[in-house]
Amino acid sequence: MTSPASPEAPTTPKCLFCRIVAREIPATIVWEDEHALAFKDLNPQAPVHCLVIPKRHLVGIHHAGKDDVDLLGRVFHGAREAAELLGVSGTGYRLVVNQGEHAGQSVFHLHMHLLGGRPLAWPPG
Ligand code: 5GP
Ligand code: ZN
């Protein structure tokens, strides 16, 4: 436990993305450092679609506390590194975090979508 606003354990055994971090479930890893991991989305919505996650389990952005701001910065950094590696830094890309029911969050381990490789419509649905 690292902050009162982050009650989750460092990893949660049954969490899908914690299991990807632990290499218990295969994923195409694009980039990683000590704190964050970027891997390709299983159901891509654009030519480039990967997910960037903190390695430590956090349910969502709304569960991140003040003590997590460095970790969140590392996730952003991972997204820009992955964008560079995937060749979309020149054409641009979109970073999206879905939080909760109305945003359609379906995996409850904080993740940032990196989407690119085609023009992206705005506003989103
Ligand atoms: P959310 O809807 O929570 O914002 O996004 C969850 C994302 O996780 C979806 O885009 C979905 O395709 C992706 N996803 C779900 N299960 C897996 C998996 O086992 N492996 C990978 N690589 N992506 C997954
Ligand atoms: Zn997790």
Side-chain angles (χ1 to χ4, degrees), residues 9 21 26 31 33 37-39 49 58 60-61 66 68 73 90 106 112 114 116 121 125:
V21 171
W31 172 92
D33 71 3
L37 178 71
F39 55 95
H49 186 179
L58 280 172
I61 189 62
K66 205 172 175 183
D68 299 315
S106 62
M112 179 179 281
L114 162 59

Side-chain angles (χ1 to χ4, degrees), residues 16-17 39-43 51 98 104-107 111 113:
L16 180 63
F17 287 176
F39 55 95
K40 292 194 175 174
D41 196 291
L42 202 59
N43 182 24
L51 303 171
N98 291 320
Q105 184 179 3
S106 62
V107 177
H111 51 281
H113 295 258

Side-chain angles (χ1 to χ4, degrees), residues 15 18 57 109:
C15 168
C18 283
H57 183 86
H109 179 131

Side-chain angles (χ1 to χ4, degrees), residues 88-105:
V88 293
S89 54
T91 46
Y93 53 91
R94 182 170 295 159
L95 303 177
V96 175
V97 176
N98 291 320
Q99 166 64 44
E101 184 185 348
H102 279 191
Q105 184 179 3

Side-chain angles (χ1 to χ4, degrees), residues 29-72:
I29 310 272
V30 173
W31 172 92
E32 73 177 313
D33 71 3
E34 192 186 345
H35 301 282
L37 178 71
F39 55 95
K40 292 194 175 174
D41 196 291
L42 202 59
N43 182 24
Q45 302 300 313
V48 168
H49 186 179
C50 75
L51 303 171
V52 192
I53 66 171
K55 289 187 172 178
R56 177 162 61 80
H57 183 86
L58 280 172
V59 171
I61 189 62
H62 210 71
H63 296 75
K66 205 172 175 183
D67 290 349
D68 299 315
V69 294
D70 182 66
L71 186 59
L72 298 180

